[in-house]
Amino acid sequence: MKIGIFGGTFNPPHLGHLAAARAAIEALGLDKLLIIPAAIPPHKELPENTPAPEHRLAMAEKMADALLLPEVAEVSSMELDRAGKSYTSDTLAALREQYPDAELWLLMGTDMFLTLHLWHDPGTILKLAGVCAFGRSEQDTEAVFAPQREHLEKTFTGAKITTITLPGLVNISSTRLRELLGSGEGGKYLYPAVYGYILMNGLYGTRADLKHLDIPELRACSYSMVMQKRVRHIRGTEEEAVRLARRWGADEDHARRAGILHDCTKYLTGEEHLALCERYGVPLDDLERSALKLLHSKTGACIARHVFGEPDEVYEAIFWHTTAKEDMTTLEKILYVADYMEPNRSFEGVERLRELAYTDLDKALLLGVETTIQEMKDRGLPIHKSTLRAQAWLREQAVTTEG
Ligand code: DGI
Ligand code: FE
Ligand code: FE
């Protein structure tokens, strides 16, 4: 087994780190990548506005999730859990014990590689692991790496050193990035979910008014709350909802915001859902209490309203996006249908639903509702009363319109 070890302060983890992680997995053929945030880096002081360890850990986890390789990428809190300075030699010794047969590869950027001989106990480091250095900019050519590689190979017999270049890599120093964040910029250097986490927790002096976010910031916040594999669906729903709003004359901005936020609580635990419903006074029936899937639309609506200041229209659309109901507004219908047939969805009959969505919105809605009812029946699950009421209402309407 080949294990890559990616240490650093990750203060914050940015697109450069992400690209390096991706490239290392690919270039070394890693079976596992351990992302290990340092507690106290041996070579420098943590700047004053460094977020608490749990925030750095959470941001590292967002970065790991962004790789979309759950079997490979993993965050370890081993250095944060260990007292004192985070010496790489200690970390490698612990990993060697944990994985006696694995091939360990230590990943690092150019600056770190060029000073490796000055680290604490470089002999142990080079004995326990191979070193993979990645060039952070076009200037990091072989000419820069070679003398240090030769020096290390000569001093530490048996040292394994390899280098990769990441052409066109986002080149930003973390110091500069933190400054930018403090003045309301810098989002473009961050993976959206990490940026959203920073905004929602007010890290690095960001003082974003969550109730008046622009669209990119709203997306970032929503994505920071979910598993990254869901982001494609959320983006698809946003875009489909906007297209449908144009087609059916609904408010495009409301449709967009409802799409962005509709599944933001999808990964909360049952307890968290129940606590939010309690806090915001959402009454629940017995089925809702026991069916987690029915709760995320309600808690998502609460977060949209109370955290992001969304208006009633957006709240209601999110609230009913899973079950539908009778007497729906155009925006409510649009979100329900967009969620069902956005471009990333695939199931038998989705083409018919896509066609109807742009020719007869009510028929599309009824088809969605009846597909869900059938699916619940097939899976032996109880059907929610709102879903049944929506069906009755839409059937009634169809009769009236045709008659
Ligand atoms: O959140 P998404 O996956 O994008 O889609 P969604 O909000 O429509 O949620 C779909 C899930 O909700 C699906 O697993 C079935 C469940 N669901 C929808 N209507 C009912 C239902 N579950 C029960 N028990 N009863 C329903 O009427
Ligand atoms: Fe949903
Ligand atoms: Fe959804």
Side-chain angles (χ1 to χ4, degrees):
M1 177 155 81
K2 266 192 187 185
I3 304 180
I5 296 135
F6 195 9
T9 45
F10 300 113
N11 192 18
H14 53 64
L15 290 177
H17 296 124
L18 189 62
R22 264 201 199 108
I25 291 171
E26 175 79 18
L28 297 169
L30 298 177
D31 301 295
K32 193 182 270 300
L33 176 74
L34 292 175
I35 297 167
I36 312 184
I40 307 168
H43 61 293
K44 59 179 177 192
E45 299 264 299
L46 283 171
E48 210 171 305
N49 64 356
T50 298
E54 58 268 29
H55 285 314
R56 282 196 293 127
L57 195 64
M59 288 189 285
E61 256 147 25
K62 306 264 164 239
M63 175 169 83
D65 189 26
L67 291 163
L68 298 176
L69 295 167
E71 309 292 315
V72 177
E74 200 179 295
V75 175
S76 163
S77 62
M78 62 189 289
E79 292 192 354
L80 291 172
D81 298 340
R82 207 162 64 209
K85 291 198 172 186
S86 303
Y87 291 118
T88 301
S89 52
D90 295 343
T91 301
L92 290 178
L95 289 173
R96 170 54 66 217
E97 211 161 287
Q98 197 181 340
Y99 302 98
D101 304 318
E103 190 178 319
L104 304 179
W105 282 93
L106 184 63
L107 317 180
M108 64 185 71
T110 315
D111 319 359
M112 293 287 107
F113 178 63
L114 294 181
T115 57
L116 185 56
H117 55 290
L118 303 173
W119 290 21
H120 177 76
D121 204 355
T124 299
I125 293 175
L126 287 160
K127 197 173 73 197
L128 293 173
V131 166
C132 174
F134 32 82
R136 287 209 295 195
S137 71
E138 249 93 284
Q139 296 101 306
D140 292 331
T141 52
E142 185 56 17
V144 179
F145 283 128
Q148 172 71 339
R149 187 172 54 220
E150 281 155 25
H151 170 69
L152 293 171
E153 282 170 348
K154 207 168 69 200
T155 320
F156 306 98
T157 341
K160 270 190 310 184
I161 294 160
T162 179
T163 53
I164 44 179
T165 29
L166 303 171
L169 183 63
V170 214
N171 198 8
I172 176 93
S173 84
S174 295
T175 311
R176 177 85 189 110
L177 180 51
R178 288 190 296 270
E179 275 167 21
L180 285 172
L181 287 169
S183 54
E185 291 167 79
K188 66 172 183 186
Y189 297 110
L190 292 164
Y191 187 77
V194 173
Y195 185 40
Y197 185 90
I198 290 171
L199 294 177
M200 291 194 70
N201 291 282
L203 307 182
Y204 304 108
T206 53
R207 277 176 214 84
D209 175 1
L210 296 183
K211 289 198 160 69
H212 298 93
L213 293 177
D214 291 340
I215 294 300
E217 278 76 24
L218 190 69
R219 284 191 193 115
C221 288
S222 169
Y223 302 168
S224 77
M225 289 185 268
V226 299
M227 298 285 286
Q228 296 312 293
K229 64 179 184 207
R230 181 154 286 265
V231 168
R232 277 162 60 98
H233 161 67
I234 297 177
R235 188 67 197 245
T237 303
E238 173 196 337
E239 281 160 11
E240 196 69 60
V242 170
R243 280 192 291 273
L244 286 168
R246 270 183 209 134
R247 170 67 182 89
W248 299 110
D251 186 299
E252 283 179 36
D253 188 53
H254 286 169
R256 186 180 292 288
R257 291 173 171 268
I260 291 172
L261 293 171
H262 83 285
D263 277 341
C264 71
T265 56
K266 191 79 184 180
Y267 296 96
L268 298 191
T269 63
E271 268 170 43
E272 290 170 321
H273 281 300
L274 294 176
L276 281 174
C277 288
E278 175 95 350
R279 175 161 166 200
Y280 295 119
V282 177
L284 297 174
D285 61 33
D286 287 344
L287 176 55
E288 288 160 351
R289 268 174 207 290
S290 59
L292 263 192
K293 297 220 162 111
L294 294 175
L295 283 174
H296 81 280
S297 47
K298 300 179 188 306
T299 51
C302 290
I303 297 294
R305 170 183 274 168
H306 296 283
V307 175
F308 299 110
E310 296 300 336
D312 294 349
E313 293 90 328
V314 171
Y315 173 89
E316 297 291 338
I318 297 176
F319 196 95
W320 298 108
H321 90 263
T322 303
T323 59
K325 61 161 187 153
E326 58 196 356
D327 296 328
M328 291 170 87
T329 64
T330 306
L331 186 72
E332 288 159 4
K333 294 174 186 174
I334 284 174
L335 184 63
Y336 184 94
V337 170
D339 184 33
Y340 229 109
M341 46 62 88
E342 58 88 14
N344 301 292
R345 292 281 200 208
S346 72
F347 56 87
E348 217 187 289
V350 73
E351 289 310 329
R352 175 77 185 132
L353 191 56
R354 288 196 177 121
E355 205 181 291
L356 280 178
Y358 287 88
T359 52
D360 189 328
L361 188 58
D362 285 342
K363 274 196 185 145
L365 183 60
L366 181 57
L367 181 56
V369 166
E370 295 196 326
T371 306
T372 296
I373 290 174
Q374 191 54 49
E375 199 188 307
M376 295 298 110
K377 281 186 179 157
D378 293 346
R379 286 159 58 188
L381 291 171
I383 298 153
H384 192 262
K385 60 180 191 292
S386 295
T387 312
L388 291 171
R389 281 193 198 134
Q391 182 192 33
W393 170 62
L394 288 160
R395 281 190 169 174
E396 174 81 9
Q397 281 228 319
V399 173
T400 323
T401 342
E402 268 154 36

